[in-house]
Amino acid sequence: MSKDIAKNIALILLLSVAVFSMVKYMSEFKARYALQDSLAQAQDQISALAQERQNLLQELGKEKELKDQLAQKNKNFKNYLRASKNRITRLFHDNTATKNNLEGLNIKFSILKAENRALIEERKRVNLENERLKLKWSSLLELKKGIQELKTKDRKALGLLTGGNQGFLLKDGRSTALEKVKIEVVPAQTKE
């Protein structure tokens, strides 16, 4: 019996160790299964995070590209704005110069209008004088009187108040005003 008891105790002890080992193995197996499940979940999360990271990197790349495009557009707009400011300044100066030229032309135009009015008035006066003279000189008697008046005016202007021929002739570089010179006029012969 003592052998049987020792066998039984040993068997119980072995069974206890086996049960304990089985329980421990099961708990370790469950823990391992839980760890594998956690690991799979972590790997899924890692792959999801890696995918999200990849998406974020792509979005970041797109954002950088968009930022570069916007910076280029901004630079182009600044250049366009600078060119527009220069153009507006040049147009302002041109406009000022044009206004000044226009003012000068307006002044010249006013002067020309005044001169034109004066010339029109002068022309009217000359036309009236011309008509008056045409009426006056249309008769032979009036024409002779006019020629006589003109000669008298010319004499007065030259200071010659005496009558007769007051012209001078030069002979050999000397005046013949004191000498008498005979001038003969011979009619030309006509063919018959």
Side-chain angles (χ1 to χ4, degrees):
M1 223 204 200
S2 88
K3 247 185 182 189
D4 279 333
I5 292 181
K7 267 188 192 180
N8 281 342
I9 291 180
L11 189 61
I12 290 177
L13 192 59
L14 277 174
L15 272 173
S16 313
V17 170
V19 170
F20 178 76
S21 292
M22 285 293 268
V23 170
K24 193 72 167 157
Y25 178 74
M26 290 298 270
S27 73
E28 289 296 322
F29 186 72
K30 283 182 183 180
R32 182 175 175 218
Y33 182 71
L35 283 176
Q36 282 180 345
D37 192 36
S38 295
L39 182 63
Q41 287 177 358
Q43 285 177 343
D44 288 343
Q45 286 178 352
I46 288 172
S47 64
L49 288 173
Q51 185 64 35
E52 189 176 340
R53 180 178 178 263
Q54 190 65 28
N55 291 342
L56 288 174
L57 286 174
Q58 286 176 353
E59 285 182 27
L60 182 63
K62 288 179 184 177
E63 291 293 325
K64 280 184 179 180
E65 214 174 279
L66 184 61
K67 181 184 173 187
D68 291 341
Q69 288 175 354
L70 288 176
Q72 185 62 36
K73 282 183 180 179
N74 191 18
K75 184 179 177 184
N76 291 341
F77 284 141
K78 283 181 181 178
N79 290 338
Y80 181 75
L81 181 64
R82 190 177 309 115
S84 296
K85 282 182 181 179
N86 290 340
R87 191 174 184 190
I88 288 171
T89 304
R90 188 176 68 246
L91 288 174
F92 179 75
H93 290 304
D94 290 348
N95 187 26
T96 304
T98 303
K99 282 182 182 179
N100 292 339
N101 288 340
L102 185 61
E103 288 174 5
L105 289 175
N106 283 338
I107 291 169
K108 288 179 183 178
F109 185 68
S110 299
I111 292 170
L112 287 174
K113 279 174 100 176
E115 287 177 357
N116 191 25
R117 273 186 254 128
L119 288 173
I120 288 172
E121 292 298 321
E122 180 68 20
R123 183 176 171 214
K124 285 179 183 177
R125 189 187 62 74
V126 167
N127 284 339
L128 287 174
E129 181 71 19
N130 190 19
E131 290 298 321
R132 188 182 62 78
L133 289 175
K134 277 183 183 177
L135 288 174
K136 184 177 178 181
W137 303 124
S138 61
S139 71
L140 188 60
L141 184 62
E142 288 295 322
L143 188 59
K144 284 182 180 180
K145 283 182 186 177
I147 291 172
Q148 207 54 27
E149 286 175 10
L150 188 61
K151 284 182 179 180
T152 307
K153 281 183 187 177
D154 285 345
R155 284 185 197 138
K156 286 181 183 177
L158 293 174
L160 304 173
L161 298 176
T162 59
N165 186 4
Q166 295 296 319
F168 293 98
L169 294 177
L170 294 177
K171 184 175 181 182
D172 296 330
R174 292 182 339 162
S175 172
T176 60
L178 300 177
E179 301 175 13
K180 288 187 178 182
V181 177
K182 183 177 180 183
I183 298 175
E184 290 183 23
V185 178
V186 179
Q189 296 179 359
T190 59
K191 291 183 182 179
E192 294 184 13

